[in-house]
Amino acid sequence: MSISTSKRVSKWLISGPPLLYLLIFFAIPTGMMALAAFRFPGDYGGLMPLFGTDAATGKTTLLINAQNWHDYITLDNFARFFQEPVFIELFIKSFCYAGLTTLLCLVLSYPLAWLIARSPKKWRDLLVLLVILPFWSNFLIRVYAWMIILGPQGYFAKVVNGFLGMFGVEPLQFLFTPFAVVLVLVYVHLPFMVLPLYANLEKHDMALLDAAQDLGASRWQRFWKVTWPLSLPGVYAGAALVFIPALGIFAVPDLVGGTDGIMIGNLIKQQFLDSRDWPFGSVLSIMLTLSVLIMAGLMSLLGRGGKRNAL
Amino acid sequence: MHSKQSKWLWACALLVYGFLYLPLLIVVVYSFNDSRLNAEWVGFTTHWYGVLFSDEQMLTAARNSLLIGLVSSIFATFFGTLAGLSMYKYRLRLLPVLVLTPIAIPEILMALSLLMFFVTLNFSMGYLSITVAHIAFSIGFVAIVVRSRLQGMDESLVEAARDLGASPLQAFWRVTFPLILPGIIAGALMAFTLSIDDFVITYFVAGAGASTLPLQIYSMLKIAVTPEVNAISSLLMLLTLALIMIAAKLAPGALRASH
């Protein structure tokens, strides 16, 4: 065996197994979902079958052909998405929740990331680890913790409502509201914002701030004219890492959102598990994927632009 | 740094750390509370841990989770290590996309496409479909850790082994493999943790009747919560903490690589 063939063999021996596994269990299912958006729902949920088995002969044949394809392929599912305002409204609402979550994460993370980046080197790893650690505990446990805190009998509700009661305000509900959804979303996504911000702020040259100070810039000016523009790539990276998973989240609104707090993920789940309308569920999934791709593209574009402006 | 400014920053940082840890602390504290409600502190008890250890359903779910975690992490480590090696050595276009996309997209998309796939193929839904799905989403995490370990490796060591007459295979097993082994183990621990923790994908591909710890916890959160959930949560946190500490010791970059 020549050297080049043996190299090619080892290349495919190494790359083949994971490639094959992910093709079968990731690429093909994803492709199936994309195609399902153009098909009709079946009589009992799922999809209208493309293959039929003849009862007499037991032969399985492809039902679709050049003449009847419009009975099997349709754009109606997409039309429905754009015609009924509820769906667009829910997308807008989910964008608002995810956007608000991103903004709050940024406000909470910035001082912390700055502090970690400026603390003595030997502490930095520990301080970063302390941010990541809660992230590794079970997702449901982290949501459950807030169900305890925000519950009607919890101390939080009692204290806030006791305070409001002094002014004659009716007691408020916290659990099962959009407020709870955004709060928990911020809680579960915070590390995704702190890490890229820290990675960026750590690299800043402190001499720039000293130079700005020597030139008479106030603390406020030093931040907005030097630190902030330099940190924009980190901000956009963090924003993408928070916004994308937050937009498609299912479990958080399901557990703490009540009826007012549902998001795209819950609608998609309803379509698949409750209405069993796979084609429309697939349309919603495609729309979610498109939203995610657009946001990711936008953030990486802005991040690159930010870097250029800063230099 | 001005001391006034730094005090203000430290206060901010402490608040954020408090925000991160207080909720988890509350879960643990209430697991020892002598009351059915997670509301007021009544008194100390280990009653809920007793309830937990005599709850057949919960114990079965825990066994299932451990088994699925074990099997799926072994396969994910195998595929993920190969993927990491391939991404480091060869410039394939498709593989990095297939490896990294499942990490980047919302979980629910992968969950539902797998649900459609299994139902369409008449694949029986249960522990097998859960395991297959867990392997699929863990491969990327293992691959990233292994690749970052390879990138930190001194390539001249392999060249030296080759110069001394080792075959490529020998050079791999004697030099590369021992050097990246901590990364592989860290990746395996991560895959195990991800599998034990996964709720969304498991929820959609489990079918009727299959139960894992997160599914069991979810149904209790939906129907009737007792501090038994706090007890199992506390134990689960302890387990995850131990695994992550080991992973962090073995491959310091592993924890950050996943983000």
Side-chain angles (χ1 to χ4, degrees), chain A residues 14-15 21 25 32 36 112 125 127 129-130 133-134 136 138 140 144-145 155 158 187 192 195 254 265 268, chain B residues 17 19-21 30 38 40-41 82 86 108 112 116 120 132 135 197 214 218 221-222 225 230 240 255 259:
Chain A
I14 291 171
S15 317
Y21 193 90
F25 295 113
M32 274 172 73
L112 180 65
D125 277 347
L127 289 171
L129 185 70
L130 281 176
L133 217 50
W136 280 104
N138 187 296
L140 289 176
Y144 173 52
Y155 287 111
K158 276 192 183 148
Y187 182 68
F192 294 106
L195 294 177
D254 185 66
I268 296 179
Chain B
Y17 280 121
F19 175 65
L20 283 173
Y21 282 92
Y30 276 123
N38 281 305
E40 252 159 79
W41 179 258
L82 289 179
S86 167
I108 193 165
L112 289 168
M116 288 179 73
T120 308
V132 165
I135 296 169
D197 274 356
Y218 176 77
L221 293 187
K222 272 290 195 189
V225 193
N230 298 54
T240 317
L255 292 170
H259 293 289

Side-chain angles (χ1 to χ4, degrees), chain B:
Chain B
M1 197 160 24
H2 302 277
S3 67
K4 214 163 94 195
Q5 189 187 358
S6 110
K7 251 182 217 150
W8 181 82
L9 272 174
W10 271 110
C12 271
L14 270 178
L15 272 177
V16 177
Y17 280 121
F19 175 65
L20 283 173
Y21 282 92
L22 207 62
L24 298 178
L25 192 69
I26 288 172
V27 172
V28 178
V29 168
Y30 276 123
S31 75
F32 296 107
N33 189 15
D34 195 4
S35 157
R36 276 189 71 82
L37 294 172
N38 281 305
E40 252 159 79
W41 179 258
V42 178
F44 180 87
T45 180
T46 53
H47 171 74
W48 299 110
Y49 288 87
V51 171
L52 174 65
F53 284 109
S54 54
D55 182 344
E56 252 342 292
Q57 268 185 321
M58 191 67 97
L59 292 179
T60 314
R63 258 196 304 275
N64 292 339
S65 273
L66 287 175
L67 199 66
I68 293 170
L70 205 66
V71 175
S72 71
S73 60
I74 289 170
F75 281 96
T77 308
F78 172 70
F79 290 123
T81 304
L82 289 179
L85 277 167
S86 167
M87 277 157 57
Y88 174 72
K89 275 177 99 145
Y90 311 110
R91 303 227 165 272
L92 292 178
R93 288 239 176 129
L94 188 58
L95 190 66
V97 177
L98 288 181
V99 167
L100 301 176
T101 320
I103 299 175
I105 59 170
E107 264 184 305
I108 193 165
L109 294 174
M110 189 168 177
L112 289 168
S113 60
L114 278 169
L115 168 73
M116 288 179 73
F117 177 77
F118 289 139
V119 171
T120 308
L121 291 188
N122 267 325
F123 201 91
S124 77
M125 303 278 265
Y127 300 113
L128 187 62
S129 60
I130 296 175
T131 309
V132 165
H134 283 195
I135 296 169
F137 73 67
S138 306
I139 289 176
F141 290 91
V142 180
I144 290 177
V145 181
V146 170
R147 187 183 59 174
S148 80
R149 185 86 198 174
L150 280 162
Q151 280 163 345
M153 194 183 76
D154 190 353
E155 193 61 38
S156 62
L157 290 171
V158 180
E159 283 161 25
R162 296 280 284 128
D163 287 345
L164 293 169
S167 72
L169 208 60
Q170 277 176 324
F172 176 78
W173 284 115
R174 298 279 178 86
V175 180
T176 311
F177 185 73
L179 281 172
I180 63 168
L181 189 61
I184 296 175
I185 297 173
L189 290 173
M190 254 167 78
F192 184 72
T193 315
L194 286 167
S195 165
I196 290 225
D197 274 356
D198 179 72
F199 164 66
V200 174
I201 291 175
T202 313
Y203 177 74
F204 286 102
V205 303
S211 88
T212 66
L213 266 185
L215 292 184
Q216 186 69 20
I217 292 174
Y218 176 77
S219 77
M220 288 182 84
L221 293 187
K222 272 290 195 189
I223 300 159
V225 193
T226 68
E228 188 193 343
V229 178
N230 298 54
I232 185 67
S233 301
S234 307
L235 292 179
L236 214 52
M237 275 192 257
L238 205 65
L239 175 72
T240 317
L241 191 68
L243 291 175
I244 287 310
M245 285 303 175
I246 298 170
K249 269 253 147 42
L250 290 169
L255 292 170
R256 246 175 289 167
S258 66
H259 293 289

Side-chain angles (χ1 to χ4, degrees), chain A residues 35-75:
Chain A
L35 292 179
F38 298 94
R39 291 172 63 182
F40 286 96
D43 292 339
Y44 308 101
L47 298 168
M48 195 160 104
L50 289 180
F51 294 91
T53 307
D54 193 298
T57 59
K59 251 195 212 156
T60 302
T61 48
L62 189 61
L63 295 172
I64 183 171
N65 56 43
Q67 278 80 47
N68 69 1
W69 61 268
H70 46 263
D71 292 334
Y72 293 93
I73 295 169
T74 178
L75 285 172

Side-chain angles (χ1 to χ4, degrees), chain A residues 103-133:
Chain A
L103 199 67
L104 289 170
C105 279
L106 179 65
V107 172
L108 283 175
S109 303
Y110 211 104
L112 180 65
W114 207 85
L115 186 91
I116 299 177
R118 293 288 154 266
S119 57
K121 260 213 165 81
K122 53 179 178 180
W123 290 13
R124 283 184 210 167
D125 277 347
L126 179 71
L127 289 171
V128 170
L129 185 70
L130 281 176
V131 174
I132 308 171
L133 217 50

